[in-house]
Amino acid sequence: MNKTGIIILAAGPSARLGKPKQLLIHQGKTLIEHICSEALEAGLHPVLVVTGATSDQVSKALESKPVEIVFNDQWSTGMASGIVAGLSGILKPDHGIESVIIAVCDQPFVSADLFKQLIKTKAERNRGIVGCAYAGIIGTPVLFGKAYFGKLLALKGNEGAKKILKTNSADLAGIPFEEGNIDIDTLEDYKQLISSIR
């Protein structure tokens, strides 16, 4: 039985874009619908979405999906609050989670196969952390074993999970995800994505 859950961070205000990036359409789905669909297809459970600045709109877009939504009222304090809110939500009714994947909603090429590869690599290489390798870094989506839940819950402010990757490199494995460096922060990014598909 797969005991891996996923936290999808979708609380930001998309200030650089000027409208909620979570609701941008890519290949017939909003970005938030896409990543939730891929997570569900990969058998991840629970699929938990952390909302914030545009909570009502994001929640409405996911009404038909069997996902859990946690509202992060501290979203303006930085990314750490979303990770803490998400992990607290996953652990609160104990789902018996052994690992958790942390993902963001603005990487349009994330797939169910990628999530499965994270889980498979953790098992095969016996590492506590497995991340995605692109543009010379290891980044999201990233899987953390249970041993790191305490460290994730202790993050504060703008600290993302990268701090934990840096300080635990001996327990870290990476899988290739070349398209991971494509994320949508600005309208120009979105236009480039749409034109590349055409």
Side-chain angles (χ1 to χ4, degrees):
M1 185 181 163
N2 181 355
K3 292 191 175 179
T4 301
I6 185 169
I7 298 164
I8 299 168
L9 301 174
S14 309
R16 289 170 62 193
L17 188 71
K19 57 183 175 181
K21 67 169 78 173
Q22 301 92 326
L23 305 180
L24 292 175
I25 303 290
H26 173 54
Q27 296 192 323
K29 289 180 183 171
T30 63
L31 291 180
I32 192 67
E33 286 175 303
H34 165 74
I35 191 166
C36 288
S37 296
E38 297 300 316
L40 290 164
E41 189 182 323
L44 302 176
H45 182 79
V47 175
L48 190 145
V49 179
V50 180
T51 65
T54 55
S55 180
D56 290 348
Q57 293 153 283
V58 173
S59 299
K60 190 168 178 55
L62 295 173
E63 277 176 345
S64 64
K65 298 229 178 270
V67 302
E68 295 181 25
I69 293 175
V70 169
F71 174 63
N72 172 25
D73 62 2
Q74 301 292 311
W75 64 265
S76 61
T77 65
M79 188 183 288
S81 66
I83 294 171
V84 172
L87 190 54
S88 301
I90 270 186
L91 298 177
K92 210 162 265 176
D94 191 354
H95 293 287
I97 295 298
E98 296 296 325
S99 302
V100 67
I101 293 171
I102 295 176
V104 292
C105 67
D106 64 348
Q107 288 177 300
F109 295 103
V110 164
S111 67
D113 285 344
L114 186 73
F115 292 141
K116 289 176 184 174
Q117 186 71 31
L118 288 170
I119 295 165
K120 185 180 174 199
T121 301
K122 182 182 187 299
E124 288 178 348
R125 298 188 57 184
N126 195 27
R127 298 289 171 87
I129 311 172
V130 185
C132 292
Y134 49 86
I137 63 156
I138 303 279
T140 54
V142 57
L143 180 150
F144 289 93
K146 202 172 186 176
Y148 290 92
F149 290 179
K151 285 185 170 73
L152 289 166
L153 289 168
L155 292 171
K156 294 191 184 328
N158 278 319
E159 289 177 337
K162 283 182 184 172
K163 173 187 176 184
I164 299 172
L165 304 190
K166 282 180 185 171
T167 53
N168 296 277
S169 56
D171 197 25
L172 170 66
I175 64 169
F177 176 36
E178 285 179 20
E179 293 169 310
N181 67 324
I182 299 169
D183 59 13
I184 311 302
D185 287 322
T186 65
L187 199 54
E188 195 54 44
D189 293 339
Y190 183 52
K191 285 177 182 171
Q192 282 183 0
L193 173 68
I194 299 305
S195 64
S196 71
I197 301 302
R198 289 175 188 154

